[in-house]
Amino acid sequence: MTPEPFGARLRHAMDTRGPLCVGIDPHASLLTSWGLNDDIAGLERFTRTVVEALADRVAVLKPQSAFFERFGSRGVAVLEKAVEEARAAGALVLMDAKRGDIGSTMGAYAATYLDKDSPLFSDAVTVSPYLGFGSLRPAFDAAAVSGAGVFVLALTSNPEGAEVQRATAADGRSLAQVMLDHMAAENAGATPLGSVGAVVGATLADAGADLAVNGPLLAPGIGAQGATPADLPRVFGASVGNVVPSVSRGVLRHGPDASGLREAAGRFADEVRTAVSEG
């Protein structure tokens, strides 16, 4: 059987659970603020609490792989369990790994996150296109087979990104626009939403690009980085209905109490719905 494409599954999750992605970012300062040690036990407790509190209600959970990898194999084991349990509870899991390489190495990254037989198989993964968009082909091919998605960095929220992403290609387009145009081509004809998404920071004063890629737009920067749901229509314009705002510390700082996490996530989801409907 051909699996249901990620874009269709994401559209359904956003429509039923609300358009919100919550990051799982167990960095040392958050563990400390929760009263946990910065060790494998603290990592396990933090991750289990977030998954149990939110996986049955938010559309997307986005674990940041680096914060698990820093604990070595035991940390990766915690990540594997979190992915499995979050997906079992109905959340889509977006692995924030930002992988990017060429040839067989990119193929190995694709197998790690996008092959259903992998213990780290996720509904989608973030990738970097700046070795050339074509270098990502193994990820797109693997995602198509498994019904997964790929989110490609386009216009990120960090100020340093502009020196690459705003640079001008030979034909006068920004490099970010070149990447966005490639994404639109990958998603051509897909309904209700393509499975190749773009990462576009919600903190941007002006996207300055055509964001109509017929795919989801992951928007980091809501909450602790300074953007608010009310900023989304200004940044994303006519494409705001395809935005998946990503919040991490803005929700996670309300732990370790599960009800605090749920209330914060619900509040952000409601604010996003309002902003999108008014935009």
Side-chain angles (χ1 to χ4, degrees), residues 60-141:
V60 183
L61 284 176
K62 180 174 69 66
Q64 170 47 258
S65 181
F67 290 118
F68 295 86
E69 293 172 29
R70 70 192 182 99
F71 291 99
S73 61
R74 294 181 301 165
V76 174
V78 173
L79 179 59
E80 291 175 0
K81 185 175 182 181
V83 170
E84 178 184 9
E85 293 182 350
R87 297 188 73 238
L92 298 176
V93 172
L94 168 56
M95 184 65 69
D96 196 356
K98 298 184 179 70
R99 300 302 193 231
D101 216 304
I102 61 172
S104 60
T105 307
M106 191 66 230
Y109 283 137
T112 300
Y113 303 109
L114 301 172
D115 185 325
K116 284 194 171 182
D117 292 329
S118 169
L120 282 172
F121 172 71
S122 303
D123 296 283
V125 65
T126 57
V127 297
S128 174
Y130 292 105
L131 286 173
F133 193 85
S135 68
L136 302 177
R137 181 54 53 193
F140 299 141
D141 290 346

Side-chain angles (χ1 to χ4, degrees), residues 207-232:
D210 181 1
L211 303 178
V213 300
N214 190 34
L217 301 168
L218 181 70
I222 301 288
Q225 292 186 48
T228 70
D231 295 321
L232 297 174

Side-chain angles (χ1 to χ4, degrees), residues 164-175:
V164 174
Q165 297 156 16
R166 300 287 191 182
T168 303
D171 61 4
R173 291 178 295 168
S174 69
L175 291 185

